[in-house]
Amino acid sequence: MKRKIIFADFFRTNGVLMGSILIALVGFWLVFLVILPQISMLDYSFRFNLPPAQQGGPRDVYTLSNYQHLLYGSDATHQTYNTIDLMVFLRTIVAAILVTIFDMILCYPLAYFLGQSRGSGFVRLLVVLLIIPYWINEILRAFALRIIFGDAGMINEVLMFLHLTREPIDFIRQDVALYAGLGYAYILLMLFPMYNVIESLDRNQIEAARDMGASWPRIHRRIVIPHAKPGIASGCTMVFMLSAGALAAPQILGGPSSLWFTQLVYQWFNNSLNWQQGAAYAIVLLVSTIIIVLTFMRIFKVSMGDIGK
Amino acid sequence: MGSGVAVNLENVWIKFGDFVAVRDANVSINGGDFFSFLGPSGCGKTTILRAVSGFLSPSQGRVLIGGKDMAGIGPNRRPTALIFQNLALFPLMKVWENITFSMEVKGASAAERRKRADELLDMIALGGQGDKLPSELSGGQKQRVAIARALCASPDVLLLDEPLSALDLKLRQHMRTELRAIQQRVGITFIYITHDQGEALTMSDNVAVMKAGVIDQIGTGRDVYDLPSTAFVASFVGENNMFRGKILRIDGDSAQVDVAGIGPLVGRISPAASAQLDAGDEAMIFIRPEALAPGEGEAGRTLNATVVNEEFEGNAFTVYLDAGGNAEIRMSLANTGQHRIAERGSRMALHFPAGKAVVVPVGELASE
Ligand SMILES: Nc1ncnc2c1ncn2[C@@H]1O[C@H](COP(=O)(O)OP(=O)(O)OP(=O)(O)O)[C@@H](O)[C@H]1O
Ligand SMILES: [Mg+2]
């Protein structure tokens, strides 16, 4: 009933022709860019990797073997676990969560400062300055970080100049560069949703709380953070999803011994030419991140509608 | 009265850069008084209130609350509670949490807070509505919640920044009475800000009238209305007819002003202005529309004018007249069942009682 009324309104405001075109475009987007690719990936993930001659033949049946491979590796008896891949998976998820938390802690004060000193030209300039680095390609930015964190990079130079260290620190192998790169790659996606909600907070509410004797920590806990929660949630969701699914930063900044889960997926597709296996890994990553996001939303009582704001 | 906490401003200047928002304000507010700051938009009322509540500190001068200098004491440590122009209720907290926020800050238990909230809700006639969100209340109810929230902190001084401006006329009138009643019940000092002179006159013990950062007059509502000290106060508070002329003679507290095109008019010199006026000076003389009545009066209290228009306003008629000078004259007559006062275009004599015309130095008028 309700849906029908919404559609009627939609046609009334846009006209029948324009309305139909808009719906067709949205439909095209959903079907061809979202649903079909995912369905074909899903389909792939349940098939064997067969030579072209056998595809569609009697051996081309659905199977769980690609998923089992993630759990048990090539051990057909399922006695031992595929610890290498599972650890990579776990590490990717934990690291993405840590990167998200790091970005959140870093962005909150910044967003508060930007959002509450509204209207001043200086703040606008700051925001533009924050955006400009993002006009540069993600891969170039990652390489720039690699240079900065390298053995002869700026950071090591400075540390050695200050005699804080005698030997250059291997930031790459220690994964410091990777975390810094991931944190930096998506930090604006955390900052802007937070900035937007905090900017919309009425300054008088903060002053009212202050007038009633509240300390700054309490004002943030009771007034600012509850107000900013939807923005924080949407920032965290984006940073987490994108970090967990990042490929460029781990490829370029990751240490030689530590793989990101997306690199495994990439290897299945590209090096092993086993798309079926790659698809299964990709689906596992997608579903897990969605479940994690939904769980956190449940814990922090954020609804889907808030995120879209 | 007299038991509450007094508030004093001593030579307070407040500057924003080069801009002087408040110029040498000297105000003493008695404990337990309902004191209003009245003035047009942008004259510095909110700025003064923020200096009292501690959100900004004066560039010069002192703010004293209960005789104590407040310099260096932040808003969270002053015995004041501020009700904001837009109320600033916390939209994500329930009504009862809003009301008892000041107790939460001090670490009171939920049960204690709930109990106090229920008492205050009863006082503002919103019993049983504590679990609603502010967005589920009407404008007047939100208003009362804001008052309860401010009172919950048991402040010595309640500061109200045009809290009724968002309400419609009926509700505003109702809330005026209610505010006044609450003030008399709790007996604490209220400092009230408004640009609505009706509000200031009905509620306050004392009123300060402000113009562009300067306090022109402080007095009771009657003083300010009957004996304005400047042209600005005379024209800002209520309706007034202004005539300009030269002082012919000063006789005790009355002055004879020669108004071009009308003749000499006799008025009382505003007490605050008596030192500034001498015979031969230019001056302004103000007569309230309701002080005028048809008919000849004594010499110096009569003027002749041509009727331009007449408006019926239910309880009163307003007659617009032209006295030949530049000033249009308004006369307000109570509706006592009489018929039309006069034909348009006819000449008529008007008079006013002794003491009902006020003479002040020439000054800027309120622009309205
Ligand atoms: N933080 C500030 N920086 C610069 N100028 C300010 C600041 N706050 C207020 N002013 C100026 O001081 C003057 C007085 O402002 P204030 O807010 O006290 O006016 P008001 O009398 O409360 O007006 P209204 O009735 O519209 O609320 C205004 O001209 C305003 O522009
Ligand atoms: Mg104001």
Side-chain angles (χ1 to χ4, degrees):
Chain A
M1 255 338 261
K2 194 147 178 230
R3 183 148 309 140
K4 227 187 232 161
I5 293 169
I6 290 173
F7 270 113
D9 274 357
F10 182 76
F11 281 117
R12 196 160 332 113
T13 48
N14 294 291
V16 175
L17 179 67
M18 206 52 206
S20 314
I21 292 176
L22 283 173
I23 287 183
L25 283 175
V26 172
F28 175 82
W29 178 292
L30 274 177
V31 171
F32 286 92
L33 301 178
V34 181
I35 298 175
L36 281 185
Q38 294 300 339
I39 286 187
S40 65
M41 273 297 128
L42 197 63
D43 181 60
Y44 259 83
S45 75
F46 288 109
R47 288 181 186 277
F48 288 109
N49 184 21
L50 297 172
Q54 291 187 21
Q55 280 174 17
R59 288 204 52 208
D60 197 356
V61 291
Y62 284 117
T63 170
L64 285 172
S65 64
N66 295 320
Y67 291 92
Q68 283 162 349
H69 187 272
L70 173 59
L71 277 180
Y72 306 110
S74 337
D75 178 5
T77 59
H78 298 175
Q79 297 294 312
T80 54
Y81 288 105
N82 183 0
T83 32
I84 296 179
D85 287 4
L86 285 175
M87 280 315 289
V88 170
F89 175 74
L90 196 68
R91 190 172 149 270
T92 301
I93 296 290
V94 171
I97 292 177
L98 290 179
V99 164
T100 307
I101 293 174
F102 176 75
D103 276 0
M104 180 174 75
I105 292 173
L106 199 67
C107 284
Y108 179 79
L110 198 59
Y112 180 77
F113 169 72
L114 291 177
Q116 283 295 303
S117 52
R118 74 189 55 158
S120 92
F122 173 67
V123 167
R124 269 169 226 292
L125 184 71
L126 265 186
V127 171
V128 172
L129 286 180
L130 284 175
I131 297 174
I132 286 178
Y134 287 79
W135 294 349
I136 299 164
N137 183 293
E138 185 188 356
I139 293 176
L140 283 183
R141 274 186 283 136
F143 273 114
L145 276 181
R146 190 177 173 109
I147 294 170
I148 292 174
F149 279 109
D151 279 358
M154 207 174 69
I155 296 182
N156 270 320
E157 299 263 285
V158 170
L159 288 179
M160 291 201 297
F161 177 77
L162 295 174
H163 296 292
L164 291 173
T165 170
R166 197 116 40 89
E167 304 273 294
I169 298 172
D170 193 346
F171 289 114
I172 308 281
R173 190 174 294 276
Q174 308 274 336
D175 283 332
V176 174
L178 172 60
Y179 295 139
L182 281 173
Y184 178 56
Y186 307 112
I187 198 163
L188 282 195
L189 295 171
M190 180 70 83
L191 183 66
F192 279 113
M194 276 197 195
Y195 165 68
N196 279 334
V197 285
I198 291 183
E199 194 188 26
S200 71
L201 174 63
D202 175 15
R203 242 212 105 75
N204 285 350
Q205 279 187 33
I206 296 173
E207 294 198 338
R210 187 125 188 84
D211 191 49
M212 281 179 274
S215 58
W216 282 112
R218 186 184 295 272
I219 289 174
H220 282 282
R221 190 160 54 76
R222 290 289 276 147
I223 315 288
V224 187
I225 292 176
H227 177 86
K229 207 159 74 171
I232 297 174
S234 80
C236 287
T237 306
M238 281 194 277
V239 170
F240 172 70
M241 287 291 210
L242 289 172
S243 304
L247 184 60
Q251 288 278 56
I252 297 164
L253 296 166
S257 60
S258 56
L259 278 176
W260 206 246
F261 195 69
T262 47
Q263 286 174 286
L264 293 184
V265 175
Y266 182 74
Q267 282 172 2
W268 283 121
F269 274 96
N270 210 42
N271 304 351
S272 320
L273 292 178
N274 187 345
W275 285 38
Q276 290 73 10
Q277 188 62 62
Y281 273 38
I283 295 278
V284 167
L285 182 65
L286 177 70
V287 172
S288 321
T289 49
I290 290 176
I291 290 173
I292 289 168
V293 166
L294 292 178
T295 312
F296 274 102
M297 281 169 62
R298 172 67 64 84
I299 293 173
F300 290 105
K301 300 201 179 70
V302 186
S303 73
M304 222 28 162
D306 291 340
I307 300 262
K309 269 183 207 160
Chain B
M1 298 294 127
S3 56
V5 167
V7 176
N8 293 283
L9 305 184
E10 292 178 352
N11 306 99
V12 169
W13 292 68
I14 299 168
K15 294 176 194 156
F16 298 110
D18 288 339
F19 178 76
V20 181
V22 175
R23 188 180 294 270
D24 199 20
N26 281 286
V27 185
S28 59
I29 300 169
N30 300 327
D33 253 15
F34 196 119
F35 190 96
S36 293
F37 283 94
L38 171 64
S41 183
C43 72
K45 306 181 296 288
T46 298
T47 305
I48 285 196
L49 211 62
R50 291 173 66 79
V52 175
S53 57
F55 285 110
L56 57 83
S57 37
S59 321
Q60 267 174 57
R62 303 200 299 164
V63 174
L64 297 108
I65 300 178
K68 219 174 115 201
D69 191 349
M70 286 289 125
I73 298 182
N76 50 340
R77 293 191 295 127
R78 293 196 183 188
T80 56
L82 178 57
I83 297 182
F84 288 80
Q85 208 154 354
N86 67 352
L87 305 184
L89 294 178
F90 306 128
L92 301 174
M93 292 186 205
K94 289 181 175 155
V95 165
W96 76 271
E97 292 177 295
N98 258 285
I99 292 180
T100 54
F101 187 75
S102 56
M103 297 173 70
E104 181 192 317
V105 166
K106 294 198 189 94
S109 74
E112 254 177 286
R113 285 187 280 141
R114 190 73 221 214
K115 187 160 159 283
R116 179 88 175 109
D118 286 340
E119 284 166 21
L120 283 162
L121 281 166
D122 282 339
M123 186 195 87
I124 57 171
L126 280 179
Q129 313 225 35
D131 283 314
K132 287 188 173 173
L133 286 174
S135 57
E136 295 165 335
L137 299 177
S138 75
Q141 290 172 332
K142 280 186 200 149
Q143 185 66 58
R144 284 180 283 177
V145 170
I147 294 168
R149 184 176 72 172
L151 290 177
C152 179
S154 309
D156 294 329
V157 181
L158 191 64
L159 309 168
L160 305 99
D161 190 354
E162 307 203 31
L164 305 186
S165 55
L167 305 182
D168 63 53
L169 183 67
K170 267 261 149 47
L171 196 54
R172 202 153 70 219
Q173 285 169 342
H174 172 72
M175 287 305 300
R176 276 183 201 173
T177 329
E178 206 152 303
L179 264 182
R180 186 70 173 138
I182 288 174
Q183 194 260 339
Q184 277 162 357
R185 187 149 15 118
V186 294
I188 62 174
T189 312
F190 273 42
I191 302 182
Y192 189 90
I193 280 192
T194 180
H195 60 255
D196 178 331
Q197 39 107 5
E199 227 163 80
L201 297 184
T202 41
M203 297 199 287
S204 327
D205 297 308
N206 282 295
V207 182
V209 185
M210 287 186 75
K211 169 193 71 181
V214 178
I215 297 177
D216 263 16
Q217 186 173 7
I218 301 178
T220 63
R222 279 210 75 144
D223 283 349
V224 168
Y225 191 84
D226 288 341
L227 285 172
S229 62
T230 65
F232 175 80
V233 177
S235 55
F236 185 72
V237 181
E239 299 285 342
N240 234 328
N241 294 305
M242 190 275 286
F243 305 92
R244 192 174 166 152
K246 186 175 272 186
I247 298 180
L248 296 177
R249 209 154 56 81
I250 291 185
D251 195 2
D253 68 348
S254 75
Q256 195 179 36
V257 182
D258 185 33
V259 180
I262 291 180
L265 294 175
V266 175
R268 182 166 169 197
I269 298 174
S270 172
S274 59
Q276 302 165 44
L277 291 173
D278 276 313
D281 287 351
E282 283 276 313
M284 285 176 165
I285 179 162
F286 286 90
I287 307 168
R288 298 271 176 207
E290 69 273 13
L292 291 169
E296 287 281 340
E298 290 170 47
R301 285 200 267 281
T302 305
L303 45 149
N304 290 296
T306 312
V307 177
V308 176
N309 199 3
E310 181 184 307
E311 277 173 7
F312 175 65
E313 279 163 10
N315 61 342
F317 296 91
T318 302
V319 187
Y320 295 86
L321 305 110
D322 178 4
N326 45 13
E328 179 193 59
I329 302 176
R330 285 162 163 233
M331 171 172 64
S332 175
L333 297 169
N335 177 6
T336 53
Q338 72 273 50
H339 291 293
R340 280 194 84 102
I341 314 296
E343 284 300 313
R344 219 170 269 187
S346 66
R347 287 291 283 177
M348 76 187 286
L350 309 174
H351 71 283
F352 52 90
K356 281 295 185 186
V358 181
V359 181
V360 297
V362 172
E364 204 181 309
L365 301 178
S367 50
E368 253 169 305

